[in-house]
Amino acid sequence: MTATLTTPELSQIQGPQKLGPLTPFVGEWEGDVGVDLSYHNDDDITGHTSYFEKAVFKPIPIQENGQQKLWGLNYSMTAWRHGEEAMDPFHDEIGFLLWDKANGQVIRNVVFGRGIAILAGSDAQPGDRTLHFNAKPGDPSYGILQNRYLMQRAEIKDFTSSFTFNDDGTLSYTSDLLLRLAATGAEMHHTDENTLRRVKQFHPGTEHA
């Protein structure tokens, strides 16, 4: 009997995937169903805010720390409250997503415009559909820094976030900052979530759509 060879679908043929589980991020994204839960200082209440968001993820050259090799992306995420799209954004962050293949780790190095810097990470493997990025104050590897005013008024006690690649090609995320609020004398979870669709896909080594 002669064996029959079948050709795999084009979508099943992949290259080396040097970005590992970060590969699906590459491109530009937009999402219009964002929801932010936070304390509103002006009104002295905790409430929800809906928002529109743009995100860009671009590959960077390989990073080498001695024997360590990191592949990754630089990225930005900017959000506008609904009804304020033509005005200044209410949230802006820039950073890097990194893949440490040898140690099976994903790393999120992020700086928020409010004067917050976080290095977060967790275990991951190529092909993972959900990636977690976690950090705690004082952790020597995955920790949190914030300016003196925020330390006094809204100290961050914990940071957890995740990104999920959905079957329909969208990208969803959740983010949770556990804060100790001086205004209320209590802790609260400042959360954000959104689902984004890719609006531009480009080759990792070029700027062309």
Side-chain angles (χ1 to χ4, degrees):
M1 180 179 294
T2 302
T4 302
L5 298 177
T6 59
T7 301
E9 295 291 334
L10 184 59
S11 62
Q12 297 174 338
I13 304 175
Q14 298 180 332
Q17 303 277 297
K18 290 184 178 180
L19 291 171
L22 303 179
T23 300
F25 278 104
V26 177
E28 298 182 9
W29 304 74
E30 292 183 359
D32 200 37
V33 293
V35 178
D36 167 271
L37 173 64
S38 61
Y39 175 72
H40 300 175
N41 283 279
D42 291 343
D43 301 318
D44 190 26
I45 61 172
T46 298
H48 293 87
T49 300
S50 64
Y51 60 89
F52 166 78
E53 187 169 27
K54 286 180 173 286
V56 180
F57 300 87
K58 296 182 178 180
I60 59 173
I62 186 173
Q63 307 294 304
E64 297 183 283
N65 299 317
Q67 298 296 318
Q68 184 186 49
K69 291 181 171 58
L70 301 173
W71 289 266
L73 310 157
N74 64 35
Y75 82 94
S76 64
M77 300 179 76
T78 306
W80 294 260
R81 295 182 181 92
H82 283 143
E84 298 182 1
E85 287 84 355
M87 302 169 66
D88 291 334
F90 83 102
H91 176 85
D92 191 28
E93 68 178 81
I94 59 173
F96 295 92
L97 298 180
L98 303 171
W99 166 233
D100 183 347
K101 179 180 179 180
N103 293 296
Q105 293 267 293
V106 286
I107 302 165
R108 181 181 180 184
N109 184 3
V110 56
V111 177
F112 300 95
R114 302 173 187 273
I116 300 170
I118 298 176
L119 188 65
S122 71
D123 295 335
Q125 295 298 324
D128 283 356
R129 302 299 296 274
T130 297
L131 303 176
H132 301 282
F133 299 91
N134 306 318
K136 289 184 178 296
D139 189 296
S141 294
Y142 297 139
I144 300 169
L145 294 174
Q146 57 188 131
N147 71 62
R148 290 178 179 175
Y149 174 84
L150 288 176
M151 281 291 294
Q152 296 171 356
R153 304 298 302 171
E155 182 184 1
I156 301 173
K157 308 295 290 184
D158 190 40
F159 173 77
T160 60
S161 66
S162 64
F163 290 86
T164 298
F165 303 107
N166 303 309
D167 291 340
D168 63 358
T170 60
L171 171 64
S172 298
Y173 73 82
T174 62
S175 178
D176 185 343
L177 284 168
L178 178 61
L179 306 176
R180 181 185 59 81
L181 295 177
T184 64
E187 293 185 349
M188 73 155 289
H189 291 271
H190 177 158
T191 62
D192 293 278
E193 59 183 52
N194 203 356
T195 295
L196 304 98
R197 293 188 176 276
R198 195 184 340 247
V199 295
K200 180 180 179 181
Q201 189 167 9
F202 48 84
H203 189 279
T206 73
E207 290 291 337
H208 302 296

